[in-house]
Amino acid sequence: MTCLSDSFQRPINYLRISVTDRCNLRCVYCMPEEGIPFLNHAEILTFEEINRIIEVAAELGITKVRITGGEPLVRLGLTSLIRMITRIKTIEDIALTTNGILLAEKAAELKAAGLKRVNISIDTLRPERFQPITRCQYELGDVMAGIKAAEAAGLHPVKLNMVAMAGINDDEIIDFGRKTITDGWNVRFIELMPFTSDGQADARFLPVTEIKKRLDPLGKMEPYKHTVGVGPAKYFRFAGANGTVGFITPVTEHFCFNCNRMRLTSDGKLRPCLLSDKEIDLKQPLRHNISQEELKKLYMEAVKMKPRQHNMNEQTQVKRPMRQVGG
Ligand code: SAM
Ligand code: SF4
């Protein structure tokens, strides 16, 4: 197996796949509350199509796959996709990013199908804040049950993603930090990316330097190097904590210099960079019986299109919503 590198000698070994643009939540930073033009079923890739693309990507060096969305667990039969992927021998790691709502009922079957680990998004620990942030009929208790089920099923390490927002949940940063000490949680603080802004600076944006300051009362953090994963987070640990604190800084400190990933959108476009709208369509070729060799060429072309870096700031906009690209 060759591991393909892009034009800047970065080895590309990680593929993130959005399996649906639909979701059972409407998080304030991700989707409008209503009037969303969702793709219809025929427009999104079938599991067989996704699997063919992963087979080709695996021949070209992809060893790690993450399933995301939209909310991946609203796609029916997701377990069968996991099972298909586990048959590709060179894929070492299959992970899932989810809002956790449906995880309590699905964690065990996902694990049995070959899923290795999960990241769960949780932006508040206060039940009364859950609806204002997610604008849905579910409850914080559903996510907590999902976290417990993931731990019980052995989907380790369970990582918890918190998008920190000024005036919305920034007063809870310290509570999340404390959970790494009291409950062994692995919490990752994510800077808000300006995906749904109208080009104006987002007043909710909080730089990671500020997030770190809010954690000061918990004591000194030591860098932690042993976390499983291939993402851009930097990890730390408080003295005596079993859990870790991670920081993801897409806005204030981009991590493009060692970016190792490609993205597959729910409607079958290979996207070399989250923040660039350049894409290569694989769906039409797949539906016109393209050979594996030709598919390989398209994949290699997309890898070569990967830009050196993005220039996101608080006012960046991209055409595609996060739910189609996969966060
Ligand atoms: N629905 C799943 C979930 O919420 O985990 C997977 C898809 S979601 C798009 C993936 C991740 O992107 C989540 O952790 C979410 O919090 C994050 N995200 C979405 N919009 C974001 C934004 N504007 N800025 C920062 N993170 C964002
Ligand atoms: Fe849905 Fe995830 Fe977006 Fe929230 S962040 S609306 S859970 S896709």
Side-chain angles (χ1 to χ4, degrees), residues 29-30 68-71 97-99 121 161 163 191-193 322 327:
Y29 48 77
C30 181
T68 177
E71 173 48 39
T97 300
T98 171
N99 60 33
S121 303
N161 289 345
V163 178
E191 283 178 342
L192 177 69
M193 291 185 272
M322 183 86 130

Side-chain angles (χ1 to χ4, degrees), residues 195-216:
F195 271 90
T196 51
S197 84
D198 50 7
Q200 302 300 308
D202 193 323
R204 301 169 302 181
F205 175 74
L206 207 57
V208 94
T209 44
E210 192 53 42
I211 299 173
K212 283 183 174 163
K213 269 192 209 148
R214 309 292 176 91
L215 293 168
D216 275 351

Side-chain angles (χ1 to χ4, degrees), residues 13-311:
N13 61 2
Y14 180 30
L15 181 62
R16 293 177 71 99
I17 302 166
S18 172
V19 293
T20 178
D21 61 334
R22 294 178 188 238
C23 188
N24 43 5
L25 305 187
R26 296 284 181 274
C27 300
V28 287
Y29 48 77
C30 181
M31 287 196 196
E33 196 162 4
E34 45 195 31
I36 307 168
F38 287 117
L39 298 166
N40 63 45
H41 197 66
E43 287 175 279
I44 61 171
L45 290 183
T46 64
F47 289 155
E48 287 70 23
E49 288 166 341
I50 293 174
N51 195 52
R52 268 195 74 186
I53 294 167
I54 304 174
E55 281 173 351
V56 160
E59 282 181 41
L60 292 169
I62 293 291
T63 55
K64 296 160 206 316
V65 167
R66 177 169 294 276
I67 309 294
T68 177
E71 173 48 39
L73 295 184
V74 302
R75 176 121 186 221
L76 291 178
L78 188 74
T79 313
S80 65
L81 175 64
I82 306 285
R83 227 176 271 120
M84 283 174 168
I85 303 173
T86 53
R87 287 193 205 113
I88 305 173
K89 293 278 173 285
T90 49
I91 299 294
E92 298 159 2
D93 189 20
I94 311 174
L96 175 83
T97 300
T98 171
N99 60 33
I101 295 288
L102 299 174
L103 198 52
E105 56 186 89
K106 298 194 171 169
E109 70 179 66
L110 289 165
K111 173 75 182 176
L115 184 70
K116 292 248 175 8
R117 56 203 180 86
V118 285
N119 291 359
I120 303 173
S121 303
I122 174 168
D123 299 321
T124 181
L125 298 172
R126 299 189 193 171
E128 71 282 6
R129 274 201 185 154
F130 190 72
Q131 265 97 11
I133 292 178
T134 60
R135 301 179 299 186
C136 65
Q137 83 279 25
Y138 296 98
E139 294 180 0
L140 181 61
D142 298 317
V143 183
M144 295 302 236
I147 296 172
K148 278 209 179 91
E151 282 168 350
L155 289 166
H156 290 306
V158 176
K159 296 181 187 168
L160 302 168
N161 289 345
M162 188 243 202
V163 178
M165 293 168 282
I168 308 244
N169 60 0
D170 54 334
D171 54 348
E172 294 189 56
I173 290 171
I174 186 139
D175 300 334
F176 275 87
R178 202 175 286 114
K179 281 281 200 186
T180 70
I181 304 170
T182 56
D183 295 60
W185 276 18
N186 298 301
V187 174
R188 304 177 337 147
F189 295 101
I190 306 179
E191 283 178 342
L192 177 69
M193 291 185 272
F195 271 90
T196 51
S197 84
D198 50 7
Q200 302 300 308
D202 193 323
R204 301 169 302 181
F205 175 74
L206 207 57
V208 94
T209 44
E210 192 53 42
I211 299 173
K212 283 183 174 163
K213 269 192 209 148
R214 309 292 176 91
L215 293 168
D216 275 351
L218 296 178
K220 198 167 169 340
M221 286 182 284
E222 296 293 343
Y224 185 75
K225 299 265 180 242
H226 310 291
T227 302
V228 179
V230 286
K234 289 190 183 135
Y235 292 96
F236 297 83
R237 220 153 64 156
F238 288 110
N242 282 331
T244 54
V245 180
F247 298 99
I248 305 183
T249 54
V251 179
T252 59
E253 198 185 324
H254 72 73
F255 21 77
C256 307
F257 55 90
N258 58 4
C259 182
N260 58 349
R261 58 188 61 185
M262 293 290 286
R263 290 185 152 81
L264 181 62
T265 68
S266 47
D267 59 349
K269 310 277 194 292
L270 256 186
R271 188 171 170 112
C273 173
L274 177 65
L275 293 163
S276 157
D277 284 314
K278 281 189 183 166
E279 300 174 337
I280 285 193
D281 180 42
L282 299 185
K283 184 176 65 184
Q284 289 315 320
L286 275 168
R287 291 183 183 178
H288 289 91
N289 299 322
I290 191 175
S291 69
Q292 288 300 87
E293 274 316 303
E294 285 166 321
L295 198 53
K296 237 185 197 177
K297 280 193 196 136
L298 287 179
Y299 183 86
M300 291 193 284
E301 207 180 304
V303 168
K304 292 295 169 207
M305 275 167 39
K306 222 171 141 54
R308 183 193 291 271
Q309 67 177 69
H310 69 70
N311 293 304

